[in-house]
Amino acid sequence: MRAEQAEQAELQRRRVRLMIKITARAGAYRKGLVTAVGRLSPEEAVILADLERNGLQVPQLHDVLCGGHVLVDDPQLYENWRFAEGSRTRLSSHHRDIDKTRYPDIGMRGDVVREKLHGRTAQGTWVQLEKTPAAFGKRKLPTLNDLRHLMDYVVYRITRSNVGPWGLSRMTERRPMYLSPVLAVPTSLTPPVARSLARALRRIEEDDDVTAVSQDLAARFPPPDRADLAGELGHALSGRAGRGLFGNSDVWVTQTPSRSAAELLRQRPEAPAVDGRPQGRPGRGAA
């Protein structure tokens, strides 16, 4: 069982690493993020994977890594993120309406999250990544990190942006990022609406067939004939619905075109000869 758990944890780390590397290609971050991803700890991967499970998309991951304040409608995450190793209670000024004696804020350091801070809200859990860890508390003298933390606070006051480990984010406690696992509610369509929607989807698909690629390529690779196009929309998906992990991310191709594939696509197939006489091309009358 332990071997299976270790394998699942490693798969989760690989997935989170890939998400971060993808967003690092499109967004601007402080130097060192990709290097830090290679040292991603299992605890850091759990936190980011839990956010993704609750609806976080790759474009939103940029704000998380840059210190965005995140609210999640899941109070259980508060306990799930109190790890046996690395977690410690911390003082903070966030969400003062919560009883900090019962629900103290929890800090954790890591190569990617730098300083993760999370706590309870009235209905769920909040989390925020910080550039500089702070150790303010009773009977503790200020350290160099505490002074750096104060400098980050000055930057926040000037820019009105949180200072995260890899950049600045406008997603502050007053304007947080909100994730909710219950926003997507499965529902059904009435038959007239379903038929109208199916016609619209078929029209869009037919237009895509001739505009997304060349007409010659579209004719060679027709799309599958599906009886229920509406069944592929979010209302009929199992689990979470919505725009998916990549949301409105930019999509790009890094591979160079294959010369062999291009040569094959330029060839025009000829019908086999019958009685020594060549036949016409498919779709045309014989000469």
Side-chain angles (χ1 to χ4, degrees):
M1 186 64 179
R2 291 184 177 179
E4 182 179 351
Q5 291 177 344
E7 183 179 358
Q8 291 296 327
E10 182 57 30
L11 289 175
Q12 183 170 256
R13 290 172 68 188
R14 291 179 184 177
R15 177 180 175 84
V16 172
R17 286 193 188 112
L18 181 60
M19 289 171 54
I20 296 175
K21 289 180 179 179
I22 290 173
T23 188
R25 297 180 62 177
Y29 293 95
R30 293 191 180 98
K31 295 181 180 179
L33 175 59
V34 176
T35 301
V37 168
R39 301 189 296 269
L40 182 76
S41 68
E43 292 78 13
E44 293 175 286
V46 166
I47 294 170
L48 296 177
D50 282 343
L51 293 179
E52 186 254 319
R53 179 174 54 83
N54 281 278
L56 180 76
Q57 300 168 355
V58 167
Q60 294 174 305
L61 182 58
H62 180 276
D63 271 298
V64 173
L65 296 174
C66 291
H69 194 86
V70 184
L71 303 179
V72 190
D73 269 353
D74 188 349
Q76 183 59 38
L77 292 179
Y78 175 80
E79 298 297 337
N80 293 351
W81 295 344
R82 298 186 70 168
F83 303 106
E85 297 183 4
S87 294
R88 69 191 190 283
T89 58
R90 242 199 65 183
L91 298 177
S92 81
S93 59
H94 297 293
H95 299 272
R96 298 179 181 178
D97 58 322
I98 298 300
D99 183 358
K100 300 294 184 175
T101 303
R102 183 179 179 185
Y103 298 113
D105 296 334
I106 308 298
M108 185 193 77
R109 300 183 185 181
D111 288 299
V112 174
V113 301
R114 294 289 289 274
E115 173 71 2
K116 180 277 307 171
L117 184 62
H118 85 273
R120 272 294 307 268
T121 66
Q123 304 296 331
T125 306
W126 66 268
V127 64
Q128 180 176 317
L129 307 186
E130 299 178 340
K131 177 184 177 183
T132 309
F136 295 116
K138 296 180 180 179
R139 301 178 183 177
K140 290 184 179 180
L141 296 176
T143 65
L144 181 58
N145 275 340
D146 293 330
L147 298 178
R148 290 172 177 167
H149 194 83
L150 286 176
M151 290 300 299
D152 292 344
Y153 177 73
V154 173
V155 174
Y156 161 76
R157 296 292 296 181
I158 295 174
T159 64
R160 295 297 178 182
S161 298
N162 284 347
V163 181
W166 307 106
L168 303 179
S169 173
R170 302 286 290 182
M171 298 288 183
T172 63
E173 184 176 341
R174 294 186 177 182
R175 299 177 57 188
M177 179 188 303
Y178 180 70
L179 303 177
S180 173
V182 297
L183 285 179
V185 179
T187 184
S188 59
L189 299 176
T190 61
V193 174
R195 288 193 295 268
S196 177
L197 180 60
R199 287 195 297 268
L201 291 174
R202 290 193 181 280
R203 184 174 65 254
I204 293 173
E205 187 174 70
E206 290 173 358
D207 292 340
D208 286 344
D209 289 343
V210 296
T211 58
V213 295
S214 66
Q215 294 187 14
D216 181 61
L217 187 60
R220 291 171 183 266
F221 301 98
D225 186 13
R226 298 178 299 278
D228 183 17
L229 289 177
E232 299 182 4
L233 294 181
H235 71 272
L237 295 176
S238 61
R240 283 194 57 83
R243 295 182 296 165
L245 174 61
F246 291 93
N248 58 350
S249 300
D250 294 331
V251 178
W252 60 87
V253 178
T254 57
Q255 295 88 347
T256 56
S258 170
R259 295 182 179 179
S260 299
E263 183 64 26
L264 289 173
L265 291 174
R266 282 195 292 267
Q267 295 178 2
R268 294 183 175 274
E270 298 288 347
V274 178
D275 297 333
R277 292 176 297 177
Q279 299 297 305
R281 292 175 179 171
R284 300 179 182 178

